Amino acid sequence: MSDHLPIEELKTLVEPGKVLTDAASLETYGKDWTKHYAPAPSAIVFPKSIEQVQSIVRWANAHKVALVPSGGRTGLSAAAVAANGEVVVAFDYMNQIVDFNAVDRSVVCQPGVITEQLQQFAEDKGLYYPVDFASAGSSQVGGNIGTNAGGIKVIRYGMTRNWVAGLKVVTGTGELLELNKDLIKNATGYDLRHLFIGAEGTLGFVVEATMRLDRAPKNLTAMVLGTPDFDSIMPVLHAFQGKLDLTAFEFFSDKALAKILARGDIPAPFETECPFYALLEFEASTEEIANDALATFEHCVEQGWVVDGVMSQSEQQLRNLWRLREDISETISHWTPYKNDISVTVSRVPAFLRDIDAIVERSYPDFEVLWYGHIGDGNLHLNILKPEALPKEEFFAKCATVNTWVFETVQRYNGSISAEHGVGMTKRDYLGYSRSEAEIAYMKAIKAVFDPNGIMNPGKIFN
Ligand code: S2G
Ligand code: ZN
């Protein structure tokens, strides 16, 4: 802990025992899922109310102490990593669902509500919270808003941003802003809510959010289809989108599937081994829709875009098919993967994939390369697995070199170097591949307005 930190004063701002400085807590709360930076916070503070968050921010301004917000610590861009003696503000004790309105179909959450808890709450009310991803069991709503989390249902439901009806934030000066007041329509000037969504806590901290819910989908059904090559995947998407209102369209490569099947706890989707697999989901709310799906499958087989496939016949089989896709990230974390989370417009995916794959083939002859992701909304996860014997630093250095070629290609396709995982620190140095100098200058100007002393998660998104 840095010796200048007025820690005794900080303790007076929260309840007893809600400021931790022991090594284990500093390690646990000072990091997220990334492995690039050693966590080194000076203290962890756990506010229980909006007023306590405001006091902490005022204290940090008075003493020029940097604050890092921490939620479920499932981030993948080191946006929640405290590597330079910052004080971590952890929202674990602000974890209550505080209101629900059946008419507005809205839920008021504190930032520490776990995503899965919100999903379950919605289900219990006969409704649906549609933002979903592998880490939903431990990520927090506040962090999902801070990173504008995406996931597997974006093709139908959009990003977290689409589901925030109202937002209370504490800005970098300690001021509380109540934004949009849960209104569906509100054309009264700038919608400041959207500045804070995806800002990774660099403008202010989410201290309460009103989340919208949707009607519950009926009889969700998944299909996993084996395709003979990259080029067949997008025609399959277009064929099914022409017939069905898809709730998801994902893909993964044979190497990614092999890591899942090697665990031995989930069966292969079918006998045939294919280089690529598409996982699509739709509401089989009528027999006609299910028949349309089968007819489209037959059409794709006739066209040579699909070589085999399976459709879920039960909730359990639906879950098993999804685990083939959703378990990839956690399963491959064993190999300390160099991760990419890139996106282009859907129409550009085929050419983009071919160009990136050529770079990857040329650059990583001796590394294991896995493709997977939300190809239906143009978002691809390219993961390079670290060979056991290769030191991490050497591996990351090699991948970082290749990554400049990947990002040059992303730039050429007007894509994003970070589709859903945020910028944090891992992508900070590459921002210029996806944002103009003018955009970055305006972002910094906005940061100076809301956080004049630069204490709110400094060094994230940009230096
Ligand atoms: C996914 C999870 C993190 C990753 O599985 O869609 O966003 O890239 C990822 O492994
Ligand atoms: Zn993803």
Side-chain angles (χ1 to χ4, degrees):
M1 179 178 72
S2 44
D3 51 9
H4 82 283
L5 194 72
I7 196 91
E8 292 314 316
E9 186 185 334
L10 177 62
K11 288 178 181 174
T12 66
L13 307 178
V14 291
E15 292 182 2
K18 292 293 184 289
V19 175
L20 302 178
T21 55
D22 63 286
S25 299
L26 296 181
E27 162 81 20
T28 300
Y29 290 93
K31 63 183 180 185
D32 60 15
W33 267 4
T34 51
K35 299 184 168 68
H36 299 58
Y37 306 89
S42 51
I44 318 297
V45 61
F46 297 89
K48 285 199 75 175
S49 69
I50 292 175
E51 295 69 24
Q52 287 181 7
V53 175
Q54 290 183 278
S55 306
I56 292 165
V57 173
R58 291 192 194 105
W59 167 85
N61 272 293
H63 301 288
K64 299 290 180 286
V65 171
L67 300 176
V68 173
S70 176
R73 297 182 297 287
T74 60
L76 287 153
S77 61
V81 168
N84 302 296
E86 304 95 332
V87 168
V88 171
V89 182
F91 291 95
D92 298 48
Y93 290 92
M94 292 177 72
N95 61 357
Q96 296 304 305
I97 288 178
V98 295
D99 197 6
F100 166 70
N101 186 304
V103 174
D104 293 327
R105 286 183 173 180
S106 64
V107 191
V108 180
C109 300
Q110 289 189 307
V113 168
I114 303 298
T115 313
E116 204 165 68
Q117 183 190 348
L118 174 55
Q119 292 170 338
Q120 188 56 56
F121 180 90
E123 190 178 324
D124 295 346
K125 298 291 183 184
L127 294 168
Y128 184 59
Y129 179 66
V131 180
D132 196 12
F133 34 79
S135 58
S138 39
S139 70
Q140 294 179 9
V141 171
N144 298 165
I145 294 169
T147 57
N148 188 26
I152 57 176
K153 306 282 182 151
V154 169
I155 193 172
R156 157 83 82 81
Y157 297 103
M159 312 279 280
T160 297
R161 179 182 305 284
N162 297 67
W163 298 90
V164 179
L167 202 54
K168 286 182 186 173
V169 298
V170 172
T171 69
T173 61
E175 187 172 18
L176 176 63
L177 294 180
E178 188 171 351
L179 302 174
N180 198 54
K181 297 184 176 58
D182 311 352
L183 293 166
I184 294 173
K185 289 188 173 175
N186 179 9
T188 53
Y190 300 1
D191 190 338
L192 298 181
R193 159 186 50 158
H194 288 297
L195 278 179
F196 290 88
I197 300 171
E200 301 177 24
T202 59
L203 303 180
F205 293 165
V206 173
V207 288
E208 192 176 281
T210 304
M211 306 307 286
R212 290 193 306 114
L213 302 179
D214 202 21
R215 69 167 180 80
K218 296 181 185 70
N219 193 20
L220 283 174
T221 300
M223 297 177 88
V224 170
L225 308 173
T227 67
D229 51 36
F230 260 152
D231 288 345
S232 301
I233 299 170
M234 298 314 270
V236 171
L237 168 67
H238 302 321
F240 277 89
Q241 274 187 323
K243 284 284 183 190
L244 302 173
D245 180 11
L246 295 177
T247 52
F249 192 91
E250 300 283 311
F251 91 119
F252 48 91
S253 65
D254 54 354
K255 290 191 178 75
L257 178 60
K259 296 297 181 195
I260 299 288
L261 301 182
R263 294 178 351 193
D265 57 347
I266 308 179
F270 36 75
E271 283 301 307
T272 318
E273 291 187 1
C274 305
F276 294 96
Y277 297 81
L279 183 156
L280 62 92
E281 184 188 67
F282 58 95
E283 290 180 81
S285 47
T286 66
E287 197 169 326
E288 184 194 353
I289 292 176
N291 293 336
D292 281 347
L294 291 171
T296 308
F297 166 71
E298 294 301 338
H299 171 69
C300 290
V301 171
E302 285 157 18
Q303 297 296 319
W305 301 327
V306 167
V307 293
D308 202 345
V310 64
M311 183 153 92
S312 62
Q313 302 297 325
S314 67
E315 270 286 316
Q316 184 55 52
Q317 205 184 11
L318 173 71
R319 274 197 297 277
N320 271 351
L321 291 180
W322 266 113
R323 285 187 60 199
L324 296 173
R325 163 64 186 89
E326 284 224 276
D327 284 10
I328 294 172
S329 182
E330 192 170 351
T331 302
I332 67 171
S333 60
H334 165 77
W335 284 274
T336 320
Y338 188 89
K339 307 180 85 64
N340 260 306
D341 163 41
I342 45 188
S343 63
V344 294
T345 53
V346 174
S347 59
R348 291 182 170 139
V349 165
F352 176 71
L353 268 179
R354 274 194 295 279
D355 284 1
I356 293 289
D357 202 44
I359 292 171
V360 166
E361 287 300 313
R362 183 175 67 238
S363 314
Y364 293 123
D366 47 358
F367 291 170
E368 203 170 0
V369 177
L370 270 57
W371 282 103
Y372 57 95
H374 326 278
I375 197 165
D377 50 66
N379 177 194
L380 313 171
H381 295 309
L382 166 64
N383 277 235
I384 319 300
L385 305 191
K386 187 183 80 65
E388 298 285 343
L390 190 62
K392 192 166 81 168
E393 291 65 30
E394 201 178 319
F395 169 67
F396 280 139
K398 160 82 177 167
C399 291
T401 307
V402 175
N403 234 49
T404 50
W405 305 329
V406 170
F407 286 163
E408 281 162 3
T409 307
V410 169
Q411 186 172 37
R412 193 154 39 84
Y413 279 86
N414 273 344
S416 174
I417 54 132
S418 181
E420 58 176 3
H421 296 167
V423 180
M425 289 195 278
T426 55
K427 298 294 188 311
R428 181 178 58 193
D429 298 336
Y430 303 108
L431 204 53
Y433 285 104
S434 289
R435 294 290 189 184
S436 67
E437 280 180 25
E439 284 181 292
I440 295 171
Y442 276 110
M443 287 189 205
K444 290 180 176 176
I446 290 167
K447 163 91 172 164
V449 168
F450 287 106
D451 177 24
N453 289 319
I455 57 153
M456 302 299 266
N457 214 6
K460 309 301 178 22
I461 301 184
F462 35 71
N463 285 308

